[in-house]
Amino acid sequence: MASKLLRAVVLGPPGSGKGTVCQRIAESFGLQHLSSGHFLRENIRAKSEVGVLAKQYLERGLLVPDHVITSVMMMELEKKQSQHWLLDGFPRTLVQAEALDRLCELDLVINLNIPFETLKDRLSARWIHPASGRVYNMEFNPPHVHGIDDITGEPLIQREDDKPDAVAARLRKYKDAAKPVIELYKSRGVLHSFSGTETNKIWPYVYTLVSSKIRPVRSKEAD
C-alpha cells in the first residue's frame, strides 16, 4: 500500500448522497473532507473578496462561476499539501478539473451514479439550514421538530432549485457539465463508478475500494 498522500474526489449529482459518502470516507480513513460548499460559506461569512463575489451570484440564484470556486479551492488546497484529502463538490466542470491538474495528480475518483427518479424524489424532500449547510430529508432524515434545525433551533428552508419544477433542469445542467470531467478521469484509469438507489448499499463497495489505496483508521462496521 502506497505511503504517498492520497488525493481523492467524489463526484455525484445533487441528491446523490455525496456528502454522506465523503463524511464516511473521511471518518473511516482519516482523510480531510474538503467541501466546496463549506469553504464558500466560510468565505461569505468572512466577507472575503471571493466571498462577496460568490454571494452576489448566489443571491441572484446563479451558479458560482468557475474562476471564483477555483480560487477558493486552490487557496484551501495550498494549505493542505501535507495531508491526505478528499474533495466534495469540486471539480464540477472541465475548467475546474484542469485547474486542479496544475496543483496535483488525483489517485482516485469515485463517481456516484444514481437514477434520475431517485434524485428527483430526494431533492424534492430536501430542506437545509442555510448558515451551516446541514441537510435534512423529510423522508429518511427529518429534523426532530418539523421545519427547525436540530442544533440551533433556527428555521430550515427549501432551496428554490430543490423545488420540484427546478430539479429536472438542475440535474440536466449537472450532467452536461460533469460528462467531460467523468470522461477525463475515466481515460486516466482513476475513475470508479458506483450505481444504486441507497447510500448504505453502495457504501461497502466504496469502503473496499478506498481500503485498497489507504489503510482504514476504523472499520466499516462502525458506521
Side-chain angles (χ1 to χ4, degrees), residues 36-51:
S36 58
H38 171 74
F39 293 129
L40 265 185
R41 283 190 296 277
E42 277 195 342
N43 275 274
I44 289 168
R45 256 200 304 271
K47 296 185 168 64
S48 72
E49 196 178 330
V50 285

Side-chain angles (χ1 to χ4, degrees), residues 151-171:
I151 312 285
T152 63
E154 292 168 354
L156 302 175
I157 64 161
Q158 186 170 43
R159 287 169 40 158
E160 286 301 318
D161 55 3
D162 280 344
K163 290 179 179 172
D165 293 348
V167 164
R170 187 176 170 203
L171 291 173

